[in-house]
Amino acid sequence: MMIRGYEEIDENSWLRCRVLSFLDTSYYDKVLKQKPRYEKGSIELVAANGEEIVGLIDIELDALPGDICSDPERRGGLIRHLAVHPDHRRQGIGSLLLIEALGRARTAGMQYLEAWIRDDQWVRDWCAGSGFRLVDSYLQVYVDGEEDLKGLVESKIPQLHPVSVFAHYTGSDKAYILSKFTRVHEMSRFDLDLTDWDDN
Ligand SMILES: CC(C)(COP(=O)(O)OP(=O)(O)OC[C@H]1O[C@@H](n2cnc3c(N)ncnc32)[C@H](O)[C@@H]1OP(=O)(O)O)[C@@H](O)C(=O)NCCC(=O)NCCS
């Protein structure tokens, strides 16, 4: 197994690794058919076992503070994708990908990494154990079925009937939202400060 830069030839294996890695998480239905491309700076690494991709990390880099990441004062790298194939987890691959990526991010002038994690406790634990700290959170809400949508969302186009809605809730009454809807995810921002990172 080696950590190296992503190459075009990796795309199919990258997509398979990603979809399998998210099956047992709250992102289980967020499927990609193409590997995302980034117009600005990025770090795209894979853990390769021969031709098979068993881990991946994509980080999109701020050209200026606040370009991509949330902090308007510091340049950061936003972790767009981080995943390890379920058959290869807990072998240190996620940590190796992160360490290689954060070294490159520091070299590129980034001051922190930003990750947005849903409510998978073991992933949050991995983040906390890797030095990230919780900064902020909001709720992501799925509403399915015309009955649940009544009085909530209306279409202005005749004969167009919404049957499904995905919404962000940034208010303070999280308990109400959690009690009202069946599928609600807490989306949390975790930051990793790179300025005091010890490369040794
Ligand atoms: C989070 C993730 C990248 C970690 O990769 P990894 O290679 O398994 O992690 P490492 O081997 O570096 O670290 C292992 C540690 O992570 C945690 N961990 C990883 N998988 C776990 C699991 N299934 N259950 C509990 N803890 C787990 C534990 O703390 C573990 O340490 P331990 O084995 O000593 O208990 C990987 O589990 C994954 O792909 N998760 C699903 C995708 C995802 O949610 N990505 C983040 C959103 S961007």
Side-chain angles (χ1 to χ4, degrees):
M1 196 283 297
M2 66 183 289
I3 306 290
R4 60 164 173 78
Y6 169 82
E7 295 167 13
E8 291 294 319
I9 198 170
D10 297 324
E11 183 166 22
N12 271 341
S13 194
W14 188 98
L15 290 167
R16 285 181 193 167
C17 176
R18 186 191 167 281
V19 80
L20 287 173
S21 303
F22 282 100
L23 271 184
D24 60 350
T25 76
S26 53
Y27 281 109
Y28 60 90
D29 52 354
K30 201 153 186 263
V31 176
L32 294 180
K33 290 181 74 180
Q34 282 185 321
K35 160 110 171 51
R37 309 272 191 273
Y38 306 98
E39 282 178 17
K40 298 186 179 171
S42 64
I43 295 165
E44 297 167 60
L45 301 176
V46 293
N49 200 355
E51 289 179 4
E52 187 192 8
I53 303 306
V54 296
L56 56 95
I57 187 166
D58 275 14
I59 301 180
E60 196 169 7
L61 306 177
D62 274 339
L64 294 169
D67 248 6
I68 307 284
C69 294
S70 304
D71 192 328
E73 308 287 333
R74 300 180 296 163
R75 280 177 77 202
L78 181 63
I79 299 184
R80 292 283 187 193
H81 303 278
L82 168 61
V84 172
H85 189 295
D87 293 347
H88 298 269
R89 288 206 190 128
R90 304 184 91 160
Q91 297 170 22
I93 295 174
S95 301
L96 285 175
L97 284 164
L98 178 66
I99 287 167
E100 177 64 27
L102 70 81
R104 293 186 188 210
R106 268 168 56 97
T107 304
M110 299 307 118
Q111 293 161 286
Y112 74 109
L113 295 183
E114 178 175 321
W116 286 88
I117 307 292
R118 274 191 181 168
D119 34 19
D120 303 296
Q121 191 55 48
W122 50 282
V123 180
R124 297 165 75 99
D125 290 347
W126 181 87
C127 278
S130 302
F132 286 83
R133 72 182 174 85
L134 179 64
V135 176
D136 200 2
S137 79
Y138 66 93
L139 299 181
Q140 293 189 333
V141 187
Y142 289 83
V143 190
D144 282 317
E146 285 188 62
E147 205 49 45
D148 283 355
L149 284 168
K150 254 185 206 154
L152 202 69
V153 176
E154 276 172 26
S155 164
K156 289 185 176 160
I157 299 176
Q159 312 296 307
L160 184 73
H161 308 288
V163 291
S164 183
V165 159
F166 174 63
H168 288 183
Y169 177 75
T170 53
S172 57
D173 198 355
K174 289 183 177 176
Y176 171 71
I177 299 295
L178 284 160
S179 70
K180 189 165 169 61
F181 302 105
T182 316
R183 185 173 173 197
V184 181
H185 297 292
E186 177 138 47
M187 186 67 157
S188 302
R189 173 181 157 195
F190 285 85
D191 282 3
L192 177 64
D193 190 354
L194 299 182
T195 54
D196 57 4
W197 188 266
D198 180 359
D199 288 318
N200 300 311

